[in-house]
């Protein structure tokens, strides 16, 4: 964790660490046993081995003065859990504080020590509780931890989780995002500051009242016996917050203005840790045109939306509080505003069945009003604090058997199209919290093995990413996949090799205007994108390469992003769009300016009146032209 990382000063151990690193440099690649033997030859003063994090700290501390020009190779070899940044960005997850939730879903855990639906023993929830749900400390601690484990953190995807984001008061939302950006902006200075200064920045006592915001001692709720309106989650959490905040649900300092947020966002455009994606999660029934505008002003580029089921009868049985029509409207509004769409779907809900679930899953991609860009599959689990306990004890619901759940997922995963990414198949809930049902967190691997046995496979994005494998940019070709949505035509432009390994992609939306009535799906306040083609995402894979850096065989910084943007501009021009608008993240604004985009209020725009000029701006004089990129449709 961040505290142990900050408490270690490599210069106090220079006599032992420098010889250890010199041995690592000449040893070349090592398997785990050889590595262990090497570090055992250079023990700590107490006789134990130095951790990889401590060795990495020494590499950074001594590289310049010792002339270690292989520093990057050393860091890459020592990097802990390299999969964390293998998709091209450094993910930083933070949680909002526990807060009354508008939902009454029977399957949802009610752990009053966490925001609704989260559990205290989930890894991310534990980190959030340690920092009293303070956004600045959560963000800074995660950045320091990733950096300490050898991961570049200059390109950050910030995921804000916890309950229903849209139900938190707007001043809290603005403050929470502002403080996350503050932490990213302060990261570089604190990383090199004196250890005591960095530790102070993470101390919960640093903000008045924060130390009292400790939910750990609160009693657990038994969903089988508690009446929600008298002693349930909302009542218990609300009373705790009021006691802590002098009768209010928010502390006096949990507020910020739009101007303050915009100021820290501008600073982040050139910060050492830049936010290249901001993800917020909410419910379909809390999305309307005004909310879409707020999400964009906060800087969000992706929205996680819990649709859970596409069967109205199942939604009613689980007291979800909205119908399928609400999900379809929310997705259409968000897509029209250019957001990337990450939906949550839950098999094994009360009132469903394996056969019904397989039919339900097909609707995700058969229905043009849905068709998500990303998907989480969360089979329903029985948690003691959920009201589903009552249904289970009455014999009205049971978890699927291993074979039933396996059968559902084996039938579902191959249905996912090549333009969608399945990010999770099982939620990372500790097994001890699940009373009955599946407790295997690696169930995706089980499903994929079964698919191999059947001669079938998943073709989603995650199954095809180049990940850590080398890729030769000249071997890639551009393929364009077309599909329809409720607001127009979607183009998925992908850079793939001969084996269909995916090195990068872009998502382009070509909205269809509504004749004579104007664009009814365009949220109010977003007139600047009326008529625009929408570049909703550009993503290049391969492990994170530092800004300005380059690595042989790495997809990042090989010009693939420019090639994808140029291809998107060409298709937008062919469709008659006057300009290409990109829903850029705060940390990617400078990149798009270099490609010829100009700033609007909430988007950046590339004029397409002169396509040749637009190509030159995007590709630069030394880059290949769009016409020379092979393509198939």
């Amino acid at each position: 964790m961040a505290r142990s990382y900050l408490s270690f000063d490599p210069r106090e151990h220079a006599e032992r660490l420098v010889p250890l690193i010199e041995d690592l440099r000449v040893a070349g690649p090592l398997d785990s046993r050889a590595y262990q033997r090497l570090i055992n030859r250079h023990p700590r003063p107490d006789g134990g081995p130095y951790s990889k994090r401590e060795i990495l700290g020494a590499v950074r501390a001594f590289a310049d003065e010792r002339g270690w020009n292989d520093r990057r190779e050393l860091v890459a070899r020592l990097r802990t859990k390299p999969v964390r940044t293998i998709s091209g960005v450094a993910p930083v997850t933070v949680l909002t504080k526990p807060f009354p939730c508008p939902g009454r879903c029977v399957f949802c855990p009610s752990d009053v020590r966490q925001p609704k639906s989260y559990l205290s023993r989930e890894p991310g929830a534990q980190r959030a509780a340690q920092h009293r749900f303070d956004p600045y400390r959560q963000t800074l601690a995660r950045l320091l931890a990733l950096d300490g484990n050898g991961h570049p953190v200059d390109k950050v995807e910030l995921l804000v989780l916890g309950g229903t984001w849209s139900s938190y008061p707007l001043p809290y939302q603005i403050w929470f995002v502002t403080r996350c950006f503050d932490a990213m902006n302060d990261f570089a200075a604190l990383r090199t500051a004196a250890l005591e200064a960095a530790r102070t920045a993470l101390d919960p006592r640093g903000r008045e009242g924060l130390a009292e915001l400790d939910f750990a001692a609160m009693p657990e709720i038994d969903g089988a016996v508690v009446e929600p309106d008298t002693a349930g989650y909302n009542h218990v959490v609300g009373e705790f917050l009021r006691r802590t905040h002098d009768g209010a649900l928010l502390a006096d300092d949990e507020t910020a203005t739009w101007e303050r947020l915009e100021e820290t966002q501008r600073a982040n455009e050139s910060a050492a840790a830049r936010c290249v994606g901001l993800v917020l999660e909410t419910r379909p029934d809390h999305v309307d045109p005004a909310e879409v505008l707020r999400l964009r002003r906060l800087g969000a580029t992706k929205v996680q939306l819990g649709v859970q089921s596409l069967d109205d009868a199942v939604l009613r049985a689980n007291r979800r509080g909205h119908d399928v029509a609400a999900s379809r409207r929310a997705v259409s509004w968000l897509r029209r505003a250019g957001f990337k769409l990450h939906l949550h779907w839950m098999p094994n809900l009360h009132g469903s069945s394996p056969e019904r679930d397989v039919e339900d899953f097909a609707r995700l991609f058969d229905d043009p009003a849905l068709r998500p860009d990303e998907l989480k599959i969360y089979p329903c689990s029985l948690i003691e604090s959920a009201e589903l306990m009552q249904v289970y004890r009455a014999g009205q619901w049971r978890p699927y058997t291993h074979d039933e759940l396996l059968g559902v997922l084996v039938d579902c995963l191959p249905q996912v199209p090549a333009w969608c990414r399945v990010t999770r198949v099982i939620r990372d809930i500790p097994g001890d919290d699940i009373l009955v049902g599946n407790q295997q967190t690696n169930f995706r691997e089980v499903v994929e093995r079964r698919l191999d046995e059947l001669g079938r496979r998943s073709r989603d994005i995650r199954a095809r990413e180049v990940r850590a494998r080398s890729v030769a940019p000249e071997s890639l070709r551009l393929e364009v996949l077309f599909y329809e949505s409720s607001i127009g035509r979607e183009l998925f432009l992908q850079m793939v090799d001969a084996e269909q390994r995916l090195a990068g992609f872009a998502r382009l939306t070509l909205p269809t205007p509504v004749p004579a009535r104007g664009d009814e799906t365009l949220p109010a306040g977003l007139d600047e994108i009326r008529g625009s083609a929408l570049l909703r995402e550009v993503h290049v894979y391969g492990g994170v390469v530092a800004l300005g850096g380059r690595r042989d065989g790495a997809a990042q910084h090989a010009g693939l992003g420019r090639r994808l943007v140029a291809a998107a501009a060409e298709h937008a021009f062919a469709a008659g769009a006057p300009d290409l608008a990109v829903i850029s993240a705060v940390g990617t604004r400078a990149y798009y300016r270099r490609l010829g985009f100009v700033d609007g209020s909430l988007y950046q725009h590339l004029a397409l009146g002169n396509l040749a000029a637009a190509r030159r701006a995007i590709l630069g004089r030394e880059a290949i032209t769009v016409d020379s990129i092979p393509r198939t449709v």
Side-chain angles (χ1 to χ4, degrees):
M1 296 298 292
R3 288 181 181 275
S4 61
Y5 166 59
L6 292 172
S7 64
F8 180 79
D9 186 349
R11 295 196 175 276
E12 295 178 0
H13 298 255
E15 291 184 2
R16 296 169 181 267
L17 282 170
V18 170
L20 187 160
I21 295 169
E22 294 287 7
D23 282 358
L24 278 172
R25 295 182 65 216
V26 299
L30 298 168
D31 60 26
S32 58
R33 290 186 178 180
Y35 172 78
Q36 196 62 45
R37 286 196 298 270
L38 188 150
I39 64 172
N40 286 343
R41 292 204 302 267
H42 302 276
R44 297 171 55 97
D46 60 8
Y50 285 101
S51 69
K52 284 187 176 181
R53 180 177 290 180
E54 291 167 339
I55 300 170
L56 282 164
V59 169
R60 292 192 176 97
F62 304 131
D64 290 340
E65 61 189 66
R66 297 281 174 173
W68 293 336
N69 55 12
D70 55 351
R71 167 180 170 173
R72 286 183 178 172
E73 289 76 9
L74 279 169
V75 170
R77 285 167 54 197
L78 291 166
R79 184 171 296 144
T80 302
K81 298 181 178 179
V83 71
R84 292 196 187 279
T85 53
I86 210 166
S87 289
V89 295
V92 171
T93 300
V94 295
L95 269 69
T96 52
K97 71 179 183 180
F99 200 81
C101 177
R104 294 294 183 86
C105 312
V106 300
F107 53 79
C108 193
S110 294
D111 187 339
V112 295
R113 299 163 296 182
Q114 291 291 329
K116 197 71 161 71
S117 87
Y118 288 85
L119 294 164
S120 295
R121 284 186 285 188
E122 292 180 85
Q126 288 182 332
R127 291 193 296 266
Q130 176 190 1
H131 294 288
R132 304 293 195 267
F133 302 97
D134 182 89
Y136 183 92
R137 289 167 177 80
Q138 289 185 72
T139 305
L140 180 59
R142 199 71 193 119
L143 291 172
L144 290 170
L146 286 168
D147 177 71
N149 284 327
H151 296 275
V153 294
D154 52 347
K155 295 191 285 285
V156 175
E157 182 178 48
L158 180 68
L159 297 93
V160 180
L161 308 180
T164 300
W165 170 262
S166 303
S167 69
Y168 285 80
L170 183 58
Y172 178 84
Q173 295 180 25
I174 300 172
W175 169 79
F176 195 97
V177 174
T178 297
R179 292 301 286 156
C180 290
F181 274 99
D182 286 342
M184 286 184 278
N185 294 343
D186 292 347
F187 164 72
L190 286 170
R191 180 176 180 267
T192 57
L195 297 179
E196 187 58 36
R199 282 196 294 268
T200 299
L202 293 175
D203 192 336
R205 293 169 296 183
R207 196 180 104 221
E208 184 178 354
L210 185 60
E212 285 72 44
L213 194 65
D214 184 2
F215 291 80
M218 296 179 68
E220 296 185 53
I221 288 179
D222 183 349
V225 298
V226 167
E227 291 295 329
D229 295 328
T230 58
Y233 179 91
N234 287 355
H235 176 82
V236 173
V237 169
E239 287 303 304
F240 175 82
L241 291 173
R242 291 185 183 93
R243 288 197 304 272
T244 306
H245 301 320
D246 295 326
L249 293 175
L250 299 181
D252 291 340
D253 61 349
E254 290 179 333
T255 182
T257 63
W258 287 114
E259 292 74 20
R260 171 76 171 84
L261 172 60
E262 291 164 3
E263 176 186 359
T264 194
Q265 287 177 334
R266 284 192 295 271
N268 189 253
E269 291 180 17
S270 57
R274 301 180 195 176
C275 182
V276 299
L278 172 58
V279 186
L280 301 173
E281 66 172 355
T282 191
R283 291 167 51 98
D285 52 331
H286 278 251
V287 176
D288 59 21
E291 178 63 5
V292 170
L293 177 60
R294 285 191 291 269
L295 292 168
R296 186 64 198 122
R297 290 188 70 185
L298 288 167
T301 53
K302 182 192 299 183
V303 175
Q304 293 197 35
L305 202 64
V307 300
Q308 318 307 15
S309 175
L310 301 173
D311 184 323
D312 280 336
V314 172
L315 291 173
R316 285 193 299 271
N318 289 272
R319 295 173 56 192
R320 179 61 181 163
H322 67 79
D323 57 10
V324 177
S327 296
R328 299 174 85 252
R329 284 193 301 272
V331 169
S332 292
W333 278 324
L334 291 166
R335 191 190 301 275
R336 185 61 185 87
F339 288 98
K340 292 173 283 293
L341 298 161
H342 193 165
L343 302 190
H344 299 183
W345 179 78
M346 295 182 68
N348 200 185
L349 287 172
H350 175 40
S352 192
S353 67
E355 297 76 19
R356 200 166 176 174
D357 281 339
V358 173
E359 294 175 0
D360 196 66
F361 188 85
R363 299 184 188 109
L364 284 166
F365 303 104
D366 290 344
D367 188 343
L370 297 170
R371 294 183 174 168
D373 305 312
E374 298 183 17
L375 182 67
K376 285 182 179 177
I377 301 175
Y378 283 161
C380 184
S381 299
L382 183 62
I383 310 299
E384 187 174 12
S385 62
E387 290 183 60
L388 187 61
M389 280 290 294
Q390 301 174 37
V391 185
Y392 170 70
R393 289 178 175 173
Q396 298 170 352
W397 175 88
R398 66 169 179 83
Y400 292 163
T401 66
H402 176 278
D403 288 346
E404 286 175 326
L405 181 57
L406 179 60
V408 169
L409 297 179
V410 164
D411 282 342
C412 288
L413 276 186
Q415 296 184 48
V416 180
W419 40 261
C420 179
R421 186 177 196 269
V422 180
T423 57
R424 277 188 179 273
V425 170
I426 296 291
R427 183 171 167 183
D428 190 15
I429 298 176
D432 291 345
D433 285 318
I434 300 175
L435 297 187
V436 291
N438 173 70
Q439 297 183 4
Q440 281 187 270
T441 55
N442 69 332
F443 208 84
R444 183 177 193 144
E445 297 174 23
V446 176
V447 175
E448 290 173 345
R449 284 197 299 269
R450 181 59 178 152
L451 286 171
D452 285 341
E453 294 169 0
L454 296 172
R456 304 169 69 189
R457 65 183 179 89
S458 172
R459 58 195 175 111
D460 82 300
I461 289 173
R462 189 177 183 276
R464 300 187 297 120
E465 296 170 4
V466 294
R467 299 173 78 78
R469 294 167 291 191
S470 296
V471 59
E474 63 274 9
S475 72
L476 299 173
R477 66 180 183 276
L478 178 68
E479 295 184 354
V480 186
L481 309 178
F482 299 89
Y483 59 100
E484 299 299 320
S485 72
S486 60
I487 68 156
R489 170 162 279 201
E490 301 290 328
L491 280 69
F492 183 77
L493 303 95
Q494 58 177 4
M495 300 297 299
V496 295
D497 64 10
E499 300 175 4
Q500 285 292 298
R501 294 187 305 174
L502 183 64
F505 67 85
R507 299 186 190 277
L508 175 67
T509 298
L510 302 174
T512 302
V514 181
R517 297 197 307 265
D519 190 343
E520 294 177 347
T521 61
L522 183 64
L526 299 182
D527 288 340
E528 69 173 282
I529 57 172
R530 191 177 301 279
S532 301
L534 298 172
L535 186 57
R536 297 193 296 117
E537 182 175 14
V538 177
H539 196 119
V540 176
Y541 283 106
V544 172
V545 178
L547 287 166
R550 200 173 192 86
R551 188 172 71 238
D552 290 341
Q556 291 198 345
H557 299 286
L560 299 188
R562 287 176 179 266
R563 293 165 67 174
L564 288 163
V565 173
E570 183 183 63
H571 281 280
F573 176 81
D579 77 306
L580 178 63
V582 60
I583 184 169
S584 51
V586 169
T588 61
R589 290 173 181 168
Y591 170 79
Y592 285 108
R593 290 179 191 128
R594 291 197 297 271
L595 271 58
F597 287 75
V598 297
D599 295 350
S601 297
L602 296 172
Y603 300 81
Q604 291 178 286
H605 302 262
L606 179 71
L608 297 177
N610 186 331
L611 182 61
R615 284 178 175 174
R616 286 194 298 271
I618 297 168
L619 294 168
R621 279 181 282 182
E622 298 180 3
I624 63 172
T625 65
V626 175
D627 289 337
S628 68
I629 304 173
R631 69 185 63 209
T632 59
V633 178

